[in-house]
Amino acid sequence: MRSAHVIPLLLLCACPAACKSERAAETRKEPSAMAPQLSGRIPRQMRNCPSGVPSAKTVATPTADGVNLTITSDNPAARRRIVALAQMHATWGEPIWAMPYHTGMHGGPGTIGLCPIIHAKTIVTQREIPEGVLIHVRSEIPGMESRLQELTKLRVNALEPPSS
């Protein structure tokens, strides 16, 4: 019984002060007011993101209810990893608000980070294609489809190395 009270306290203490203030500021905002924040310290190098797999190529295509992400690779081992990570994302659902950001534990409101799969107020499905995976991210909020598309495009563009 006592450990049930200690665990939330430990989770709270595990998050640095900057993370706490970031979380407090973001949770007060309505989804339509959320500005894209392509920040994030990515300490785990997007290890749970299919687009973070070395050699992955990501293309975002708007749909009527959200966005499709086509994530492919020429490398067979990378393709298998992309598919496995996409399957994991399709089972996750909403972010776990009590978890610290950028820990690989599916925490935060989905307003920061670089992975183009946005989970906050969306439904994520996936299907395997020969070159990798097709992920569909559908907005659960009517009228927010274009905002979801815009944020996804920003994240996809941030994945690309700068042109020389």
Side-chain angles (χ1 to χ4, degrees), residues 5 39 53 71 79 85-86 88 98 104 123 131 133 145 152-153:
H5 297 288
S39 58
V53 173
I71 306 172
R79 275 196 304 267
L85 289 171
M88 182 175 69
I123 295 174
E131 305 81 24
V133 70
E145 297 83 6
T152 301
K153 183 178 179 181

Side-chain angles (χ1 to χ4, degrees), residues 62-67 118 137-139 141-154:
T63 66
D65 61 352
V67 64
I118 298 172
V137 183
R138 179 172 61 89
S139 175
I141 303 173
M144 291 298 289
E145 297 83 6
S146 62
R147 185 70 176 142
L148 173 62
Q149 294 161 358
E150 176 187 345
L151 294 175
T152 301
K153 183 178 179 181
L154 284 170

Side-chain angles (χ1 to χ4, degrees), residues 13 15 22 35 44-45 63 74 77 88 92 102 107 127 135 148:
C13 293
C15 186
E22 219 174 61
R44 308 270 190 261
Q45 302 301 311
T63 66
D74 293 333
M88 182 175 69
W92 272 355
H102 300 292
R127 70 177 170 87
I135 298 172
L148 173 62

Side-chain angles (χ1 to χ4, degrees), residues 67-144:
V67 64
N68 281 340
L69 291 163
T70 306
I71 306 172
T72 60
S73 175
D74 293 333
N75 179 316
R79 275 196 304 267
R80 287 190 294 276
R81 179 78 179 137
I82 289 167
V83 170
L85 289 171
Q87 290 169 342
M88 182 175 69
H89 276 268
T91 65
W92 272 355
E94 280 286 316
I96 303 167
W97 298 92
M99 289 296 183
Y101 297 176
H102 300 292
T103 60
M105 295 164 47
H106 196 54
T111 57
I112 61 176
L114 297 172
C115 187
I117 304 170
I118 298 172
H119 286 274
K121 304 301 178 201
T122 65
I123 295 174
V124 177
T125 57
Q126 64 84 38
R127 70 177 170 87
E128 193 171 344
I129 58 174
E131 305 81 24
V133 70
L134 175 69
I135 298 172
H136 181 66
V137 183
R138 179 172 61 89
S139 175
E140 287 187 321
I141 303 173
M144 291 298 289

